[in-house]
Amino acid sequence: MSQTLQRSQIGRREYFQPIMAGGLAAIVGYASTFTLVLAALTASGASPQQAGSGLMSVCIAIGILNIVVSAQIRVPVSFAWTTPGMAFLLTVGEPLGGFAAVSGAFLVAALMIMLTGLIRPLARLMAAIPAPIANAMLAGMLLTLCLAPITAVAEMPLLALPILLAWVVGLRFARRYAVPIAVLVTGILLALTTNLPVGALNGSWPALVPVMPVFTVDAIVRIGLPLYIVTMASQNLPGLAVMQANGFVLAPAPLFVMTGIASAVTALFGGQTSNLAAITAAICAGPEAHPDKDKRWPAPISAGVVYLLLAPAASLAAAFIAASPPLLIQAVAGLALLSSLAAALAGALVQEEMRLPAIFTFVVTASGITIIGVGAPFWGLVGGIVMLIVLRLGVKPLAGTTSA
């Protein structure tokens, strides 16, 4: 009996570490970017109820994906929402057709992710996008948002400076918790300074609000296609790379199909796409989850349970954030994305022969231009690829042009 009890205690200790790692990954992932999700959905035309529904639906979707997939294949596969996609959405604004058109664009992106898993040439085409170009496009999309903390300090220093200071102190003493600490300080400041209008919390009880998708060329071209590219290039492919770096080689096609199906369902409730996790995957699949990689699979299950527990709070958070200064919310989101911007810039410039096309992609994307209704990320991607092709073909610059 004593030996049986001892083995049981050892088993519990073995799984305690991955369970704690998974819970931490979910809390950090949620607290770091839920404000970004709500701000992006609101900026694209969602009401507070619809924004809360969107966040709630995605929390449920990635919670279920984390639990079911990891338990089935006994591999620490982690899922998350598309943080770069939400950063992109925040820069687009409300399209023609309103939030219903955004829901339609989400659905188109979800179907394309699903098709990527079903049609091999499409998967190869996505994989063929040079990583520096994809990183440069992501960096261009993130730049404007990452400037928000500085803008907020200039326009509302009494609110923004304490948040920035909390983030810096967090970086110094508890790097992983820096953004959650900033979010906590933001919540305290807003609770002390924001006057909620009468009825602001009406309808903030947990609820999934159906959205009837509307399909418009404007929303599909400006939101659906770029969101698909960003999700694949900046979430799914890095997610696979993180898993491979930790010794797990996955068959990506079934995962793309599952996340595509989940994203299609959440689109009907205003939710953005789900995808393979990248940053939080490093927590669940890395050594800190467990020294033995074969015993890390409970970590995503723990993360999934936490996401399901956090889902009901989405509507209340959306109602509160809707009454808060938009710039301050964007500032917190910008702090959360600074590390992503740094990583994207580093990835864009790592290969010397691709730096000029990457910088061109970055500049065009960051410009925010819209040509024939198509947004800057698309033109940045196309421009960077065209320049790369021209340089590789050895076409010389026109006479009279020089490089600085």
Side-chain angles (χ1 to χ4, degrees):
M1 289 293 293
S2 60
Q3 291 179 347
T4 302
L5 179 61
Q6 186 177 13
R7 285 196 297 269
S8 175
Q9 290 175 341
I10 292 174
R12 285 197 295 269
R13 286 198 298 269
E14 286 182 342
Y15 289 119
F16 177 78
Q17 186 175 352
I19 288 172
M20 291 301 295
L24 173 65
I27 292 172
V28 170
Y30 184 94
S32 298
T33 57
F34 83 96
T35 55
L36 172 65
V37 173
L38 294 174
L41 294 175
T42 301
S44 62
S47 67
Q49 292 77 19
Q50 289 172 325
S53 171
L55 178 58
M56 182 179 180
S57 67
V58 177
C59 283
I60 294 172
I62 62 178
I64 294 173
L65 284 171
N66 274 307
I67 294 170
V68 172
V69 176
S70 294
Q72 184 69 29
I73 66 175
R74 298 296 178 100
V75 171
V77 184
S78 299
F79 299 89
W81 56 62
T82 171
T83 299
M86 289 296 94
F88 156 71
L89 185 64
L90 189 58
T91 66
V92 174
E94 184 174 351
L96 297 175
F99 191 63
V102 175
S103 176
F106 286 167
L107 190 56
V108 169
L111 293 176
M112 292 189 68
I113 293 172
M114 195 187 314
L115 289 174
T116 302
L118 296 173
I119 303 174
R120 289 185 178 181
L122 189 57
R124 287 197 294 268
L125 180 63
M126 282 304 307
I129 296 176
I133 301 297
N135 277 306
M137 182 182 69
L138 175 59
M141 292 187 300
L142 296 179
L143 178 62
T144 301
L145 191 58
C146 288
L147 292 175
I150 309 304
T151 305
V153 169
E155 295 189 12
M156 46 182 71
L158 294 181
L159 291 176
L161 278 174
I163 297 170
L164 187 61
L165 179 61
W167 177 73
V168 171
V169 172
L171 282 179
R172 173 62 181 84
F173 296 102
R175 189 179 185 87
R176 182 175 296 165
Y177 302 98
V179 173
I181 289 171
V183 172
L184 177 62
V185 172
T186 303
I188 294 172
L189 290 173
L190 292 178
L192 295 175
T193 60
T194 301
N195 295 319
L196 292 175
V198 178
L201 297 180
N202 291 344
S204 61
W205 291 104
L208 293 174
V209 180
V211 180
M212 182 60 68
V214 172
F215 299 97
T216 66
V217 175
D218 175 62
I220 291 173
V221 173
R222 288 177 56 201
I223 297 175
L225 297 181
L227 181 62
Y228 163 71
I229 294 172
V230 169
T231 300
M232 291 300 300
S234 300
Q235 286 280 174
N236 282 332
L237 298 183
L240 291 172
V242 168
M243 294 298 293
Q244 187 173 358
N246 284 284
F248 302 97
V249 179
L250 303 175
L255 300 176
F256 293 164
V257 172
M258 284 187 289
T259 55
I261 293 173
S263 300
V265 173
T266 57
L268 302 177
F269 298 97
Q272 70 276 21
T273 54
S274 303
N275 42 249
L276 290 171
I279 298 174
T280 53
I283 300 176
C284 292
E288 65 185 36
H290 200 284
D292 184 352
K293 74 183 188 69
D294 293 329
K295 295 179 180 178
R296 298 172 191 170
W297 61 269
I301 297 177
S302 173
V305 171
V306 172
Y307 273 116
L308 292 177
L309 294 175
L310 290 170
S315 297
L316 182 62
F320 187 76
I321 286 178
S324 306
L327 179 58
L328 202 63
I329 302 303
Q330 292 176 21
V332 180
L335 291 176
L337 293 171
L338 278 174
S339 59
S340 298
L341 175 62
L345 285 172
L349 302 177
V350 68
Q351 299 180 31
E352 184 176 355
E353 69 276 9
M354 297 189 68
R355 286 179 184 171
L356 188 57
I359 285 296
F360 185 74
T361 299
F362 169 74
V363 171
V364 173
T365 304
S367 71
I369 61 169
T370 299
I371 303 175
I372 61 173
V374 181
F378 175 81
W379 297 117
L381 182 66
V382 171
I385 292 175
V386 169
M387 179 176 286
L388 180 62
I389 293 173
V390 169
L391 292 178
R392 285 184 173 177
L393 288 175
V395 177
K396 296 182 179 180
L398 296 175
T401 62
T402 58
S403 57

